[in-house]
Amino acid sequence: MTKAELRDRIRRQKRSMTDSEIEEKSAHLVAQFLESRQYRNAKTLYGYLSFNQEVRTLPILEQALKDGKRVALPKCDEKEMRFIYLSDLTQVQKSSIGAPEPITDGPVGDDETALVLVPGLAFDKNGYRVGYGGGYYDKFLSREPHHPTVALCFDFQILEQLPVEAYDIPADLILWA
């Protein structure tokens, strides 16, 4: 199966989930994530605000701010992704693909060991993922390789093995429900 076929299959499965299924599984994943060693050890969280049928990440970002962690969200242009610090998670707008991103262009994240919450459509048990096709996270993590990474997903997004390219960077930890 090609990456394009895989993306299409997973998108269809995500669209078939009810709002209550998404909320219930997300709540379970949020609790798992907040109890993880990776989260407890992080001073900074490079997260993202979910959209469509993704695991709901807003409770994680809100808790990180309450816990005194710095929080940054991704902002992409044609070439690269950078993380922008936010203390107010409402200061976002829809990007060209519909994902929420910071309104401002700064301040830019500067913690080279920040915990990165990595989105994706499909994951395998070795940590590899198929993202949305832009390659932004792999490019970012190849530029800044010292970040610990965690991915959150629904159980049907976990596959035995994915097609892997030389530039793909696996997540350190994948949590699923």
Side-chain angles (χ1 to χ4, degrees), residues 26-82:
S26 292
H28 179 71
L29 287 163
V30 166
Q32 277 186 357
F33 178 78
L34 294 175
E35 293 171 9
S36 72
R37 174 183 47 81
Q38 289 85 347
Y39 176 76
R40 287 192 316 270
N41 292 341
K43 291 179 177 54
T44 304
L45 176 63
Y46 288 0
Y48 62 93
L49 281 167
S50 51
F51 76 112
N52 293 335
Q53 298 83 22
E54 290 180 318
V55 172
R56 303 298 185 233
T57 58
L58 181 59
I60 289 170
L61 302 172
E62 290 173 335
Q63 188 62 49
L65 288 171
K66 287 178 190 169
D67 290 342
K69 298 179 189 294
R70 295 189 307 173
V71 172
L73 299 180
K75 188 161 188 171
C76 300
D77 61 26
E78 309 81 45
K79 297 177 185 160
E80 68 177 16
M81 176 179 73
R82 61 198 179 286

Side-chain angles (χ1 to χ4, degrees), residues 129-173:
R129 66 185 194 90
V130 171
Y132 293 90
Y136 288 105
Y137 278 83
D138 289 322
K139 290 173 194 168
F140 174 80
L141 293 169
S142 68
R143 279 194 325 269
E144 295 191 25
H146 302 293
H147 293 282
T149 54
V150 176
L152 307 175
C153 66
F154 302 116
D155 53 5
F156 63 84
Q157 293 176 269
I158 294 287
L159 304 174
E160 203 55 43
Q161 189 173 8
L162 292 173
V164 176
E165 308 290 339
Y167 54 81
D168 289 337
I169 297 174
D172 299 320
L173 175 65

Side-chain angles (χ1 to χ4, degrees), residues 5-21:
E5 292 167 333
L6 184 59
R7 284 183 181 106
D8 185 53
R9 185 181 106 192
I10 298 295
R11 281 186 177 117
R12 281 195 315 271
Q13 287 180 276
K14 285 173 72 176
R15 282 192 295 266
S16 73
M17 293 180 74
T18 65
D19 287 342
S20 62
E21 285 176 307

Side-chain angles (χ1 to χ4, degrees), residues 89-110:
L89 298 172
T90 66
Q91 296 301 300
V92 296
Q93 63 190 0
K94 283 187 179 184
S95 69
S96 60
I97 63 164
E101 69 176 14
I103 293 170
T104 64
D105 289 329
V108 175
D110 60 355

